[in-house]
Structures are given as C-alpha cells and as structure tokens.
Amino acid sequence: MQFLLLFSRQGKLRLQKWFTTSSDRSKKKITRELITTILARKPKMCSFIEWRDMKIVYKRYASLYFCCCVEPDDNELIVLEIIHRFVELLDKYFGSVCELDIIFNFEKAYFMLDELLLGGEIQESSKKNVLKALTAQDLLQEEETPQGFFEDHGLG
C-alpha cells in the first residue's frame, strides 16, 4: 500500500497515512486529484480505479470515504477487507464511529491504523489484539496526565 486517505463527502481530508516518501506539494496534488475523482463517481460504480501506474481502492461508509493506493498487481479484495477491518476497529472503539469521532480523536485513529498496518502491510489481523493495544495505550495516557502529578504532590 502506498497511502491511505480518509475524507468526507464534502472533500475534507480527515486522515492520511503515507507509506512512501513524497513531497508535501506532491501529496497535496495527489490528494486533491483523488478526492475530486472519487467524489465525482456515481454510487453504483466500481470501487477500483486504475490511476497513473497504480490502483485505487475506495469504499464509502456513512459520510466518510476510505481510499487506498496500491500496486497494480495487489489484490483489490484484500485491500477492501483491510479498509473494512479498519472501519470495524473504529466502530468497536468509538461505538458506531462518526466523522466527529475522527476529527476530535485523530490521534486514536492514527494509533489504531499504526497497530493495524506497518509500512503499508497488514501487521495485526486480530481486532482483539489491536483493541487491546489501544486500551493499554489509553491506560498509560491516563496514568501520565498532569492532574495526577499535581494531586500526588499536594498542588491540585
């Protein structure tokens, strides 16, 4: 996988993960081009696009589009499964995820994506293991909040 984009029906980019190096200018151009292309497509059209020398696989869930760029010889159905797995994880963690969950908790979404994918390849296929890592991270974050420090030292 080259990159993953998550954007709204209005064309607002909500999440992006690049697994290959590109300049910021190039990333913006690619993002703008793909968002425009995908939003212009009819709902009944195929979720696969041959684009430049790559393949685009996308899927819409509610008001969000999940878009992946893969090598031409990669299996599109596996990419759709990876997108679906990411959506299932988001749903499980946030309880019926919506666009606002991603906007206000983007660091959690990125952490989840990093647990799922590594270098553009599936790292962990078990939803349970990904959610376990996220829960452990949440506990660690709670322990390190400044409030605890101030209360522990009689300052709060």
Side-chain angles (χ1 to χ4, degrees):
M1 191 179 299
Q2 304 292 313
F3 58 82
L4 180 138
L5 303 174
L6 204 155
F7 56 92
S8 70
R9 284 188 306 199
Q10 292 77 33
K12 300 268 189 227
L13 188 62
R14 298 301 182 202
L15 206 75
Q16 60 178 329
K17 185 72 175 180
W18 297 80
F19 302 106
T20 56
T21 55
S22 296
S23 68
D24 283 344
R25 188 174 181 197
S26 173
K27 287 178 186 177
K28 283 181 182 153
K29 186 175 186 259
I30 289 168
T31 302
R32 201 174 326 112
E33 184 179 330
L34 283 176
I35 289 174
T36 305
T37 302
I38 291 170
L39 289 177
R41 292 173 64 85
K42 303 264 186 281
K44 298 269 185 207
M45 292 177 99
C46 179
S47 293
F48 313 135
I49 305 171
E50 286 185 12
W51 177 77
R52 297 184 183 178
D53 58 343
M54 303 303 253
K55 210 178 329 187
I56 302 300
V57 178
Y58 72 93
K59 181 88 170 120
R60 179 178 160 197
Y61 288 90
S63 66
L64 293 171
Y65 285 88
F66 293 75
C67 168
C68 294
C69 177
V70 295
E71 300 292 325
D73 55 341
D74 284 347
N75 185 329
E76 302 96 338
L77 297 177
I78 291 175
V79 179
L80 277 176
E81 280 298 315
I82 292 170
I83 291 171
H84 188 69
R85 178 58 47 106
F86 184 47
V87 172
E88 286 178 324
L89 286 164
L90 290 167
D91 258 349
K92 195 92 162 160
Y93 183 77
F94 291 110
S96 190
V97 69
C98 68
E99 192 175 344
L100 287 176
D101 290 325
I102 306 244
I103 293 168
F104 293 116
N105 300 290
F106 64 90
E107 69 286 343
K108 300 283 183 209
Y110 276 115
F111 185 87
M112 198 178 298
L113 190 57
D114 288 341
E115 287 295 313
L116 181 66
L117 298 172
L118 182 66
E121 300 288 329
I122 194 92
Q123 172 180 259
E124 179 58 72
S125 59
S126 165
K127 284 187 282 191
K128 196 163 88 175
N129 287 347
V130 172
L131 291 168
K132 201 184 299 182
L134 199 55
T135 304
Q137 182 65 26
D138 287 347
L139 289 172
L140 191 62
Q141 196 173 5
E142 283 176 25
E143 290 172 9
E144 292 182 357
T145 55
Q147 287 177 340
F149 173 80
F150 293 117
E151 290 166 359
D152 291 346
H153 293 87
L155 303 171

